[in-house]
Amino acid sequence: MTPTTETPLKRTPLHAAHLRAGARMVPFGGWDMPVQYAGVKAEHEAVRTRAGMFDVSHMGEFRVTGPDAEAFLQRVTTNDVTKLRPGRAQYNWLPNDAGGLVDDIYVYRVADTEFLLVVNASNIEKDWAHLQAHAAGSEVQLSDESGDWGLIAVQGPEAGALLQPHTDVDLGAKKKNAFFSGTLLEFPVLFARTGYTGEDGFEVFVKAGDAEALWDRLVAVGLTPAGLGARDTLRLEAGFPLYGHEFAEDLHPLASTYAWVVKDKEHVGRAAIQAAPPVRLIGLALDRVPVREGYPVLLGGETVGHVTSGSSSPTLGHPIAMALVRADAASADAYEVEVRGKAHPARRMDLPFYKR
Amino acid sequence: MQTPPELKYAASHEWLAGDGTVGISDFAQDQLGDVVYVELPEVGRVVTAGETVAVVESVKTASDIYAPASGTVTAVNEALSGTPELVNSGPYEDGWLFKLDVTEESGDLMDAGAYAAANT
């Protein structure tokens, strides 16, 4: 027998709270994370109709400061960071020289010369190395604060109403993508009116040491804990791409429906991104058979692409999927998806599948 | 977790009743979570123990179901096409999958006690 050396899974500051709640834990991007508590459908429905909360503490946080911070971020991302005022957040991309994506990220502007970046958990080390390499020679300081923060996403139509009695900030006055500090249940936090579910809500940054106590208090005020399973079905219904599925290092980001993230400015990988993408992301709906990542997509009997994310949609009541198909085959209304050797009809559906 | 004593169980979580009825265990349905689709074999199909014979899909994943015995499929649970969640609510009752005219059981089937001990 050959001994294996497995890297132990990392734990968020909420790990003990998840175990206490009876969550089913799974490995995700190197982390031991809750996939569900009561059940994916119930948690999904709680977020769509009331409010739920997710532990997203596994995501990474980098602080970028210094006189060149804005110019640096302007160069390494595709969106226009100069348009971002203090107290605002912006969805953005980190391209590589070949026009693929190192990561998709959120940029929060704290002050004129200070930004906070939130990056995908599985990409923390890669993003850190990429940013360090591009920061050389600039007057910019990077610090990895990923271990310092707990991050709780409170999402759903009642998210604001549930939080409002417990904070000193007028949440209703804060627009989408606002980023501001305050207290929540007496803990000092940073709020962002952002999320990944297609619902209204707030992402709450809390000191790692306070995270478990805050989570327990949020359960007590009526928020339903929701796991990665519901997070994935919610983001799929909302048509949000997920790194490693709809985005990758070797995948042209404009294959997605997010062309607005690329602005006309000088940035890493600009020439490569300007070339037309060879594939396009489309939405598909099926009657009954769920389709999964990797299943072939057919047009006229020929394989023209593959499913990148697929699931049964709890809100719509039928299976949905995102798929990457050849650009020349991306405008049809009807396709087929091959499931266990048999072709099943799939109709084109515009993204997002669900809009609040 | 229920494990009715009159059934036999496969390590891959199928149960087999004395009349050839096959389903998945309470433990298995709980692990799968919300079942949204079940693909059943055709009646008349001849199967060998251990062969993939059906698929149960939850919101998140597709799981193969293996024949716990060799034989011929004599019936399938048509109710699952409209209400696949029966697998969650009644894995030993309304959520059965198919019936086999058994010619030979798999040699690896466990009794309820051994199966429960292996999955706690």
Side-chain angles (χ1 to χ4, degrees), chain A residues 159-161 163-164 167 169-175 180 191 193 202:
Chain A
L163 296 183
Q164 188 60 68
T167 177
V169 191
D170 180 2
L171 295 176
K174 303 294 186 180
K175 293 183 177 145
F180 49 98
F191 288 100
R193 196 163 192 170
F202 299 85

Side-chain angles (χ1 to χ4, degrees), chain A residues 24 41 232 288 292 340, chain B residues 30-31 57-60:
Chain A
R24 181 166 307 146
K41 282 167 94 168
D232 195 50
R288 294 197 44 235
R292 314 287 180 181
R340 296 179 283 275
Chain B
D30 183 66
Q31 289 291 308
E57 302 218 24
S58 65
V59 176
K60 291 307 299 168

Side-chain angles (χ1 to χ4, degrees), chain A residues 44-104:
Chain A
H44 181 109
E45 191 186 322
V47 172
R48 282 275 178 261
T49 59
R50 300 182 301 278
M53 62 175 177
F54 302 87
D55 177 12
V56 284
S57 307
H58 57 316
M59 312 268 295
E61 290 87 7
F62 300 155
R63 197 173 295 269
V64 184
T65 54
D68 289 345
E70 182 187 86
F72 165 70
L73 289 174
Q74 191 69 346
R75 184 158 46 85
V76 297
T77 68
T78 62
N79 207 339
D80 190 350
V81 176
T82 65
K83 292 281 198 292
L84 191 58
R85 300 187 310 279
R88 299 288 299 167
Q90 181 187 64
Y91 179 67
N92 211 329
W93 287 345
L94 288 181
N96 61 25
D97 289 329
L101 279 198
V102 178
D103 203 1
D104 65 327

Side-chain angles (χ1 to χ4, degrees), chain B residues 6-28:
Chain B
E6 67 275 19
L7 304 176
K8 293 177 181 172
Y9 298 85
S12 48
H13 308 293
E14 297 83 6
W15 55 261
L16 174 67
D19 67 352
T21 306
V22 176
I24 66 168
S25 70
D26 191 23
F27 175 82

Side-chain angles (χ1 to χ4, degrees), chain A residues 12-36:
Chain A
T12 77
L14 298 171
H15 191 264
H18 301 320
L19 296 185
R20 275 202 307 277
R24 181 166 307 146
M25 306 298 286
V26 294
F28 178 82
W31 295 76
D32 192 28
M33 296 298 290
V35 65
Q36 66 170 60

Side-chain angles (χ1 to χ4, degrees), chain B residues 87-103:
Chain B
V87 174
N88 293 120
S89 58
Y92 301 113
E93 293 98 28
D94 295 347
W96 64 278
L97 301 180
F98 55 90
K99 292 180 195 287
L100 285 174
D101 181 9
V102 174
T103 52

